[in-house]
Amino acid sequence: MKTSLQIGRIAGVPLQFHWSFLLVGVWLVYDSWMPGRGFNWDNFQWLLVWISMVFLAVLLHELGHALVARRWGIDTEKIVLYPIGGGAFLEKMPEVPREEISIALAGPAVNFILAGLMAPIIWYSGNEDFLLILQLLIQPNGNIVIFDASIWEYLVVVFFALNLLLGAFNLIPAFPLDGGRVLRAILSMRFSRTRATVLAGRIGMWGGLLLLAAGIYLQDIVFGIGALFIIILAASEIQVQRRRERLSKAVVGDYLREDFQRLYLSPQLSLAAARVKVAPWPDQPILLLDQWQQPHGITNKQSLLTKDLDEYADNAITTLVGQAKWEGLHPEESLLRAAEKLDEHQLFAFPVLDHYGRILGLLDRSAVEKVIRRKK
């Protein structure tokens, strides 16, 4: 099930909005409806401009992460915008400290640069409205009166303040904020990756609790929700890193399936005959072998029995399986690398071969999940 809607690409990176973004629209309508007076279009337009500025700042922040990651040879799968922020999903997380630090700092750096571009306009343009609007943002309940300020003057000041706050907030050393990732990278110079993640994650959870307390004290729901997300994501990062450590310590040879099913491909074997053959087999990956008994690919019983192929039942199975598509694993490879390959190639399993090319067995996702579910 898709949870995000792609609306385009920016710098080659898919840009998506999470479904929860609909809540922003609901809030806009709710906040602009005034009982007894109807819909306040001025308030709606102002909120819409404010939100647009927020997500422009967030988008450019995440793009900063993505572009610096690309500099280190790490692609970004997508950038997703949420009601309370955004995320750049990298294809892999950098494990070299200087790479992680530079990628983490890139986002806040973009925000500070954008704020720096707005600052001369506010302080040196000779327009007093800019400073009055800034004072109004700092002291919304203060005795500040502004006459005839244009919308673009508000936009400049709001964009300056948003970028300054976004950059500073993300530098808080609370994992998984950018400051927390910098902290994790620094800690990993002395401790193991897992230990550094646990330490940074726990600091992040305590930081999230402090922010939650501040949100409750200030009676700020958005602040409180953001703090909860920090706590949840910090705990999740710790769990993910512990799983990665378990997978990195396990080797493929200890978890391969030796009692796997083989289906020999032949021009004389029709799909119907293949279906009869595999029908009594257990529901597990099936290794396809060519006429030279070399791996051709991996499938499963469900794929062979799907109704979508009924019209091809009399066709030779060799005409349906396409070109050979498989990649082998060595029994001494780590299970972490095997899991990354399974995700990368979107295959059911991999054949495991020794130095001489002999097939030792299959490694499927159940083996990876078995190690992940282990408590230790």
Side-chain angles (χ1 to χ4, degrees):
M1 178 181 176
K2 288 187 176 181
T3 58
S4 302
L5 174 66
Q6 183 167 326
I7 60 171
R9 289 176 174 268
I10 180 167
V13 180
L15 175 60
Q16 300 179 358
F17 281 96
H18 193 261
W19 69 265
S20 56
F21 213 87
L22 295 172
L23 298 176
V24 175
V26 174
W27 174 75
L28 277 173
V29 173
Y30 172 79
D31 197 74
S32 300
W33 179 260
M34 305 182 69
R37 298 176 59 184
F39 198 77
N40 187 334
W41 283 104
D42 289 338
N43 183 71
F44 179 83
Q45 291 172 18
W46 169 243
L47 290 177
L48 186 62
V49 168
W50 176 273
I51 290 172
S52 298
M53 290 295 99
V54 170
F55 285 101
L56 177 59
V58 171
L59 173 59
L60 295 175
H61 174 104
E62 299 302 336
L63 185 61
H65 291 312
L67 294 179
V68 174
R70 182 182 296 174
R71 180 74 175 175
W72 290 111
I74 302 174
D75 289 330
T76 303
E77 294 179 354
K78 58 186 177 180
I79 291 175
V80 182
L81 296 182
Y82 302 91
I84 61 168
F89 291 79
L90 306 183
E91 287 190 346
K92 64 175 183 177
M93 293 305 297
E95 296 194 358
V96 178
R98 65 172 182 169
E99 293 180 6
E100 182 168 27
I101 290 173
S102 62
I103 293 172
L105 291 179
V110 168
N111 294 127
F112 290 139
I113 290 172
L114 292 172
L117 293 175
M118 299 297 105
I121 300 175
I122 296 173
W123 271 276
Y124 301 109
S125 66
N127 188 337
E128 294 184 358
D129 284 344
F130 286 128
L131 295 176
L132 289 173
I133 295 170
L134 185 60
Q135 291 178 35
L136 181 62
L137 290 178
I138 297 173
Q139 296 178 301
N141 296 322
N143 187 22
I144 301 170
V145 180
I146 303 174
F147 297 101
D148 299 326
S150 64
I151 186 66
W152 79 268
E153 291 172 333
Y154 278 101
L155 291 178
V156 168
V157 178
V158 168
F159 200 57
F160 165 79
L162 283 173
N163 278 285
L164 197 62
L165 289 173
L166 187 60
F169 179 78
N170 273 277
L171 287 180
I172 296 174
F175 201 70
L177 295 178
D178 297 328
R181 296 194 180 278
V182 172
L183 175 62
R184 193 259 298 272
I186 294 172
L187 290 172
S188 65
M189 295 177 184
R190 180 173 180 180
F191 304 104
S192 69
R193 180 76 172 180
T194 299
R195 181 62 177 161
T197 301
V198 171
L199 289 172
R202 286 176 177 172
I203 293 172
M205 292 173 70
W206 281 107
L209 287 172
L210 290 174
L211 292 174
L212 179 60
I216 295 173
Y217 176 77
L218 297 172
Q219 297 183 346
D220 191 318
I221 295 177
V222 176
F223 203 80
I225 293 175
L228 285 175
F229 267 88
I230 289 175
I231 296 169
I232 294 170
L233 291 175
S236 177
E237 287 278 358
I238 293 173
Q239 186 179 42
V240 168
Q241 184 57 39
R242 283 175 169 163
R243 288 174 175 177
R244 287 179 62 85
E245 184 182 39
R246 289 198 292 270
L247 289 173
S248 67
K249 292 180 178 179
V251 294
V252 168
D254 292 336
Y255 293 92
L256 60 83
R257 184 193 297 273
E258 296 180 347
D259 59 338
F260 61 94
Q261 302 294 339
R262 302 169 175 85
L263 182 63
Y264 294 92
L265 303 177
S266 167
Q268 288 74 43
L269 180 68
S270 67
L271 174 61
R275 284 176 163 180
V276 172
K277 188 176 182 65
V278 305
W281 291 357
D283 189 13
Q284 62 187 41
I286 300 170
L287 177 62
L288 303 177
L289 297 169
D290 62 21
Q291 55 186 327
W292 295 284
Q293 297 191 22
Q294 294 298 310
H296 184 92
I298 303 286
T299 187
N300 62 7
K301 187 168 71 173
Q302 182 180 358
S303 297
L304 292 172
L305 298 179
T306 179
K307 291 184 178 180
D308 293 339
L309 295 178
D310 285 352
E311 59 183 300
Y312 307 106
D314 296 329
N315 292 37
I317 194 168
T318 51
T319 65
L320 302 174
V321 295
Q323 297 293 322
K325 182 181 179 182
W326 67 281
E327 183 168 336
L329 296 174
H330 191 273
E332 295 179 5
E333 279 192 77
S334 75
L335 217 53
L336 176 59
R337 179 60 184 139
E340 291 171 345
K341 286 184 177 180
L342 283 168
D343 289 337
E344 179 183 351
H345 296 280
Q346 293 294 303
L347 296 176
F348 298 109
F350 283 123
V352 181
L353 297 86
D354 63 13
H355 292 294
Y356 303 100
R358 292 177 301 193
I359 301 172
L360 303 178
L362 294 183
L363 182 88
D364 58 20
R365 294 182 183 275
S366 64
V368 176
E369 292 169 358
K370 180 179 179 181
V371 175
I372 287 176
R373 287 195 298 267
R374 283 195 337 221
K375 296 296 182 182
K376 295 182 180 179

